[in-house]
Amino acid sequence: MSIPQERRVVTAIPGPRSQELLARKQAAVPAGIGTTLPVFVTRAGGGVVEDADGNSLIDFGSGIAVTNVGNAAPKVVERVQKQVADFTHTCFMVTPYESYVRVCEKLNELTPGDHEKRTFLVNSGAEAVENAVKVARHATGRQAVVVFEHGYHGRTLLTMTLTAKNMPYKHRFGPFAPEVYRVPLAYPYRWPTGPDNCAEEAAAQAIDAITKQIGAENVAAVVIEPIAGEGGFIVPARGFLPRIAEFCKDNGIVFVADEVQTGFARTGTLFACEDEGVVPDIIATAKGIAGGLPLAAVTGRAELMDAVHVGGLGGTYGGNPLACEAALGVLETIEEEDLVAKARRIGEIMLPRLEAMKERFDVIGDVRGRGAMIAIELVEPGTKEPNPTAVQAVVKRCHAEGLLVLTAGTYGNVLRFLPPLVMPEHLLEEGLGILEKAIAEL
């Protein structure tokens, strides 16, 4: 199905049909399931989503970094259609199938490091992170898990505990899982002594806290996003990640990279860790892995992964055959269309435009990101005081003009941009123009 790659606003947004559907949603779905923009989508592809009222919106969200290869990418569609006619499920732990093995082989090959690896498949990013911790604890015989300020790792009991932000992710959902400890993240824009000192000082503080408060010999895993996602697309100061990884290696701690949002070409390398040559012991992936079908993976050093007893890992739906075929289609698309280079190109277009806006508008405190994972942090002009009110105003204006944008940040003051890697450049430029107009109207 070919969708015109154009922005088209024919009704108010949301339009009457979407408003009808929203009323049904509110009557049928718990209020705790929020909605960023209540337009009900009927089809999507390339750089646009179309809604039930005939509007076509520029997509700067990709379903939160899921549809990196575009929505309904041809290779994904073809593989899933063939598979659904053959069989939809057997449970890999009961009677296996080749596509699961092929996905694991590809991830063992493509993830950072040339050591021997093993991969197993689950359903979601949270499940991947939780299983990474399970493997690390089993393999090391230790219990403590170290995470970082501003981190987000999921909504299950353990991953909600690993997540830093209280509202909306943790509020009144306790008690939380034990043996989880939080240390500083190298956040250049907000580091007290400035960005030049950030990497060294943050690493020193984190290592000091681990050594003195927990004991390195008690730590099973350090879990970190190479670029903090929900925390505000914080790119740690260069040198921070390698220093933490080195400390882990020296102390027998499993270094777990949560690449759920940063993986599959999103940041201009296939995985974000590659930017500084960091090789995780275990890497958790999801989101962009299967073009929108539920799939996630845990890939790690063979000796760690094989340490777990038979039956200790798995799940009914993990590695569903439809999702596995979709993942193989995603990986083919990334390679054949060179989406790693396209992600870099998106960054080359967006970052200079946003930096120019920062020079013009003092409400923009920081521009950051890599590849097609870009953000701006809005502040009270002349200060670094977070300005979530301005963010909501910009979002409202962008949505009304047919540009889908997302927010993030510990302080609720970050606009994040995750365009599909296949987005035509004219839509990218048009979206940036809408954004600039929205900021100018503050």
Side-chain angles (χ1 to χ4, degrees), residues 65-344:
V66 169
T67 55
N68 294 358
V69 299
N71 233 304
K75 289 188 179 299
V76 173
V77 171
E78 291 164 14
R79 283 182 166 278
V80 171
Q81 285 178 336
K82 181 180 184 304
Q83 181 60 51
V84 77
D86 291 339
F87 63 94
T88 59
H89 175 77
T90 68
C91 184
F92 187 76
M93 298 181 301
V94 177
T95 51
Y97 36 90
E98 185 182 0
S99 57
Y100 184 117
V101 178
R102 288 187 63 198
V103 172
C104 295
E105 288 171 339
K106 291 294 289 184
L107 290 174
N108 292 341
E109 173 193 342
L110 294 171
T111 49
D114 56 7
H115 52 276
E116 188 177 0
K117 302 171 196 166
R118 302 283 187 269
T119 293
F120 66 98
L121 305 178
V122 291
N123 301 293
S124 69
E127 198 177 348
V129 172
E130 189 145 338
N131 273 279
V133 171
K134 282 171 58 176
V135 170
R137 283 176 164 166
H138 194 288
T140 63
R142 305 172 181 181
Q143 293 186 337
V145 180
V146 173
V147 288
F148 292 81
E149 294 172 354
H150 309 288
Y152 176 87
H153 301 287
R155 295 176 183 263
T156 61
L157 175 61
L158 178 59
T159 58
M160 178 173 56
T161 307
L162 301 179
T163 292
K165 190 175 181 179
N166 173 56
M167 182 63 80
Y169 307 115
K170 304 170 75 166
H171 184 61
R172 297 182 69 176
F173 293 142
F176 301 107
E179 291 297 320
V180 173
Y181 303 88
R182 197 169 313 281
V183 296
L185 178 70
Y187 188 164
Y189 178 64
R190 294 193 173 274
W191 195 253
T193 60
D196 291 344
N197 303 315
C198 182
E200 183 178 343
E201 291 181 2
Q205 289 183 22
I207 290 167
D208 184 67
I210 293 168
T211 304
K212 292 178 179 175
Q213 298 178 32
I214 312 163
E217 68 276 12
N218 296 316
V219 179
V222 166
V223 182
I224 189 168
E225 302 163 279
I227 298 176
E230 297 292 321
F233 284 21
I234 302 163
V235 182
R238 293 192 70 80
F240 178 78
L241 283 175
R243 181 68 187 95
I244 298 297
E246 178 187 31
F247 172 77
C248 289
K249 184 177 181 180
D250 291 344
N251 289 275
I253 299 168
V254 178
F255 183 89
V256 178
D258 177 347
E259 292 243 18
V260 169
Q261 192 163 174
T262 56
F264 301 99
R266 172 55 58 183
T267 64
T269 51
L270 196 56
F271 299 97
C273 280
E274 296 177 75
D275 183 69
E276 289 190 84
V278 172
V279 177
D281 297 306
I282 298 177
I283 182 168
T285 53
K287 286 191 182 288
I289 190 174
L293 274 71
L295 188 69
V298 185
T299 303
R301 295 184 181 276
E303 64 272 20
L304 296 173
M305 306 291 276
D306 285 341
V308 179
H309 52 277
V310 174
L313 304 172
T316 301
Y317 293 109
N320 171 271
L322 304 181
C324 286
E325 288 293 343
L328 294 170
V330 164
L331 292 170
E332 287 176 6
T333 303
I334 289 172
E335 182 179 358
E336 291 180 12
E337 298 187 18
D338 197 3
L339 295 188
V340 170
K342 288 192 177 178
R344 289 195 294 267

Side-chain angles (χ1 to χ4, degrees), residues 265-268 339-355 367-375 417 419-421 423 425 428-429 432:
R266 172 55 58 183
T267 64
L339 295 188
V340 170
K342 288 192 177 178
R344 289 195 294 267
R345 174 63 181 158
I346 288 170
E348 289 167 0
I349 293 171
M350 293 194 78
L351 286 168
R353 284 283 302 271
L354 294 170
E355 288 287 358
V367 174
R368 56 181 178 254
R370 205 158 64 226
M373 186 174 180
I374 306 290
F417 312 116
L421 306 184
M423 174 173 280
E425 290 186 9
L428 193 62
E429 297 281 7
L432 288 167

Side-chain angles (χ1 to χ4, degrees), residues 363-427:
V363 72
I364 300 177
D366 194 30
V367 174
R368 56 181 178 254
R370 205 158 64 226
M373 186 174 180
I374 306 290
I376 56 175
E377 181 165 353
L378 301 192
V379 294
E380 297 290 344
T383 75
K384 290 191 178 182
E385 184 68 26
N387 195 341
T389 303
V391 163
Q392 292 306 317
V394 171
V395 167
K396 185 177 180 180
R397 290 187 174 107
C398 287
H399 288 175
E401 292 295 322
L403 173 66
L404 173 58
V405 294
L406 305 175
T407 62
T410 298
Y411 314 106
N413 67 322
V414 174
L415 286 158
R416 56 173 163 168
F417 312 116
L418 294 159
L421 306 184
V422 295
M423 174 173 280
E425 290 186 9
H426 76 272
L427 286 180

